[in-house]
Amino acid sequence: MKIDRRRALALLGFGAASPAFAQTAYDGPVSFQHGVASGDPLQDRLILWTRITPAQAGAGDIAYRWRLDPVGKGRKLAKLARSGEGVTGPGRDYTVKVDVTGLKPGRDYVFWFEANGVTSPSGKTRTLPEGKTPDVVLAVASCALYPNGYFNAYGAIAALPRVDAILHVGDYIYEYGGPGSYGMDSKVAYFRPHDPPHECESLDDYRRRHAQYKSDPMLQAAHARAPWIVVWDDHETANDSYKDGAENHTPIDEGLWSERKARAIKAYYEWMPIREPADGGFAINRTFHFGDLASLFMLETRLTARDKQLVYDRDLAGMDGKPDAKGFKAKLYDPDRRMMGEAQEQWLGQELANSVKTGRTWQVLGNEVVMARVNVASFKKELDPAAYAKAMAGVSEAGKRRMERLELVASLGLPYGLDMWDGYPVDRERVYSAIKAAGARTIVVTGDSHAFWANELYDAAGTRVAAEFGTTGITSPGGGDALPTVPLGEVYAKANKEVVYNNQAAKGFVLLT
């Protein structure tokens, strides 16, 4: 049914007393070019999302309707349907976010939107179960670099026969852009160049980048398949971001980091199906209970408290220019270095304890970066001479220089990734202490590394604390892409006690039951 402008205004409670809206309302052609999504499900509520695209540039506010129907037939089910109206506009880039309440636990729903006589695609979603819950199926995704490949892995998630929720643990978009930037040397980059064609800095830049990603039909299908539970990593703002800056941010050219960070997160809140903090800040730690079976804790370890990363080029050299491993380790093990703030650590400890006390079997940490202790491996040591020669035969000169640098770091017994939890080992011990104090049976699910991992996590005393499953990228290049003839995963698993399995070439996602 087409809703004319006057009726839309009346439905939404606007009339002659709202002349500002009446003068700017847009009732022309619209479309739903970015699909629909749902997210942050609880037992009685969840977020519905879409974006309405007006055909006319500079359009005013747009009135819309939404509807959520339970799957199934019958009068009792019909009473569970929910619907409502609202208004969106340029102030939030025409995105729509509705927090629907009063729902039943463990219930499948379908939903859609309508604006100016146009109906959106429909989506499927589900509230979290309550009470006895025999199993839960989660898909875990990370790292989707648009120019580096097609989003087939999202399509595979959408085609799953069952998935109760989709966890995205960061790098949903990438801020890079322009010729020669990250991923632009791929075989499909010509067909999938980033929009805008430069690095994202302004609010409009980040909005356009989110819009581009959500124009992908396979990503739209995954969003329409099940509710998403998300957390950002670094590329939603800038590479290797931390509380006060980022590797990919130069204040002299790009202004204050606090302002760029705020612009990036405003766009993220507009375009993602996430329940926003009341203060509009960066603390998005959230808990989700899947009946009596599992609790999921989403950790924010980028923008609220993280200290600046150590860097080998800067922090390893001594006064004489030679590597100073002792001095480096003193910096690394500084007890004041943090990934999470004290308030977040207290929150996690309390939530873990509560989950265990209420009888839930599993405690799952939704975590951005690899938590396992992973030292750089010596390929010369781990491979026999013939295997090493075979591996190096296919390595470029640039790759050989990279391998030599890794050998140096390996000889000093230093970590593989300083942007990972290995760069904040004392803070990691605080997390492990919280897990042990609660008596939690903990699974960590992780993104960021563009590699698959199955890890056993031990504290500094050698006590096994948790298991970790790291997901590779949807498309982002891994070490296996740069060094295809080198058995990276095999060597890292062999050289590190905590690494059971590692694959640095495959693309895809983790399916966790």
Side-chain angles (χ1 to χ4, degrees):
M1 177 176 64
K2 181 174 175 60
I3 304 175
D4 63 35
R5 177 172 169 276
R6 180 176 296 176
R7 182 157 184 234
L9 297 178
L11 282 170
L12 302 172
F14 292 97
S18 304
F21 181 89
Q23 291 170 7
T24 60
Y26 174 78
D27 60 0
V30 301
S31 56
F32 292 88
Q33 298 177 9
H34 304 96
V36 298
S38 65
D40 274 11
L42 300 176
Q43 277 70 20
D44 66 341
R45 68 189 60 201
L46 47 76
I47 297 288
L48 304 182
W49 179 95
T50 192
R51 201 258 185 168
I52 305 169
T53 303
Q56 177 183 314
D61 292 338
I62 299 174
Y64 63 85
R65 285 179 165 184
W66 59 269
R67 186 171 178 89
L68 180 77
D69 279 351
V71 173
K73 297 180 180 179
R75 291 183 178 179
K76 290 184 178 179
L77 285 180
K79 292 180 180 180
L80 302 180
R82 296 288 182 271
S83 62
E85 306 90 16
V87 176
T88 187
R92 60 173 301 112
D93 202 20
Y94 293 98
T95 59
V96 173
K97 190 182 294 187
V98 182
D99 198 349
V100 185
T101 60
L103 305 180
K104 297 295 183 181
R107 172 70 64 184
D108 292 313
Y109 292 87
V110 294
F111 67 97
W112 62 93
F113 297 84
E114 189 274 342
N116 291 3
V118 179
T119 302
S120 74
S122 62
K124 299 176 182 178
T125 191
R126 181 176 176 82
T127 50
L128 298 189
E130 194 170 68
K132 187 68 174 175
T133 302
D135 58 7
V136 167
V137 179
L138 305 173
V140 186
S142 180
C143 302
L145 180 60
Y146 191 88
N148 201 62
Y150 296 108
F151 286 172
N152 300 316
Y154 283 140
I157 291 173
L160 289 170
R162 177 184 171 187
V163 58
D164 298 317
I166 299 165
L167 314 186
H168 201 288
V169 288
D171 295 342
Y172 181 92
I173 65 165
Y174 279 74
E175 86 284 12
Y176 296 125
S181 66
Y182 186 54
M184 286 305 295
D185 58 351
S186 80
K187 294 180 180 180
V188 302
Y190 175 82
F191 305 100
R192 292 170 69 86
H194 262 146
D195 178 54
H198 55 259
E199 182 184 332
C200 293
E201 296 178 34
S202 70
L203 175 59
D204 182 64
D205 290 342
Y206 284 105
R207 284 171 164 175
R208 285 173 60 181
R209 190 61 56 84
H210 276 280
Q212 180 185 38
Y213 275 61
K214 277 198 172 70
S215 70
D216 186 277
M218 285 188 253
L219 177 53
Q220 288 187 20
H223 271 300
R225 175 65 181 84
W228 284 48
I229 300 173
V230 303
V231 66
W232 56 64
D233 192 28
D234 52 340
H235 290 289
E236 288 85 352
T237 49
N239 182 55
D240 285 358
S241 55
Y242 53 98
K243 179 179 62 176
D244 299 319
E247 180 276 333
N248 194 28
H249 179 77
T250 51
I252 192 170
D253 297 319
E254 298 170 323
L256 292 174
W257 168 247
S258 59
E259 294 180 359
R260 180 180 181 182
K261 179 170 68 170
R263 293 192 296 267
I265 298 308
K266 175 176 170 55
Y268 185 90
Y269 283 152
E270 290 172 347
W271 280 85
M272 298 297 288
I274 183 175
R275 190 172 285 108
E276 302 169 26
D279 63 359
F282 307 114
I284 55 170
N285 313 304
R286 311 178 322 283
T287 301
F288 302 88
H289 298 302
F290 292 81
D292 65 350
L293 182 63
S295 298
L296 168 67
F297 313 103
M298 298 300 281
L299 308 182
E300 197 290 311
T301 58
R302 277 289 170 193
L303 304 180
T304 54
R306 181 195 276 252
D307 291 312
K308 187 175 183 178
Q309 300 89 340
L310 298 180
V311 179
Y312 284 123
D313 288 345
R314 181 189 66 225
D315 296 298
L316 181 58
M319 295 296 291
D320 56 1
K322 296 179 181 180
D324 177 12
K326 182 178 179 181
F328 180 83
K329 289 180 179 179
K331 300 175 189 175
L332 186 65
Y333 286 90
D334 180 348
D336 291 331
R337 286 180 52 73
R338 288 192 171 274
M339 287 268 274
M340 301 193 301
E342 290 184 26
Q344 186 180 2
E345 288 175 356
Q346 291 172 4
W347 165 82
L348 178 60
Q350 291 167 357
E351 291 294 298
L352 286 166
N354 176 65
S355 178
V356 174
K357 288 177 181 178
T358 52
R360 293 183 171 90
T361 307
W362 297 99
Q363 289 72 43
V364 182
L365 305 189
N367 163 63
E368 291 103 313
V369 297
V370 172
M371 192 170 283
R373 185 180 289 105
V374 185
N375 279 354
V376 176
S378 170
F379 292 83
K380 290 180 179 178
K381 178 181 177 182
E382 299 296 340
L383 297 175
D384 64 54
Y388 182 77
K390 181 180 179 181
M392 294 302 291
V395 177
S396 66
E397 288 303 314
K400 289 177 181 177
R401 290 192 294 271
R402 179 181 177 184
M403 292 290 288
E404 287 302 317
R405 187 169 180 274
L406 290 174
E407 289 291 338
L408 170 63
V409 177
S411 70
L412 301 173
L414 295 176
Y416 169 76
L418 298 177
D419 187 57
M420 301 175 178
W421 280 93
D422 261 338
Y424 306 80
V426 178
D427 216 10
R428 178 172 56 197
E429 288 299 309
R430 287 190 279 258
V431 172
Y432 290 169
S433 293
I435 291 172
K436 291 182 293 183
R441 301 180 71 200
T442 302
I443 299 240
V444 180
V445 290
T446 296
D448 178 70
S449 71
H450 311 171
F452 279 124
W453 302 83
N455 302 322
E456 299 276 19
L457 306 184
Y458 294 85
D459 67 11
T463 302
R464 183 184 178 279
V465 177
E468 178 178 33
F469 298 103
T471 185
T472 187
I474 295 292
T475 58
S476 299
D481 296 293
L483 300 168
T485 62
V486 179
L488 295 171
E490 175 187 328
V491 170
Y492 272 91
K494 183 180 177 182
N496 287 281
K497 173 185 176 181
E498 298 194 9
V499 181
V500 178
Y501 173 80
N502 179 224
N503 183 324
Q504 299 205 22
K507 304 293 178 283
F509 59 96
V510 163
L511 189 63
L512 176 66
T513 300

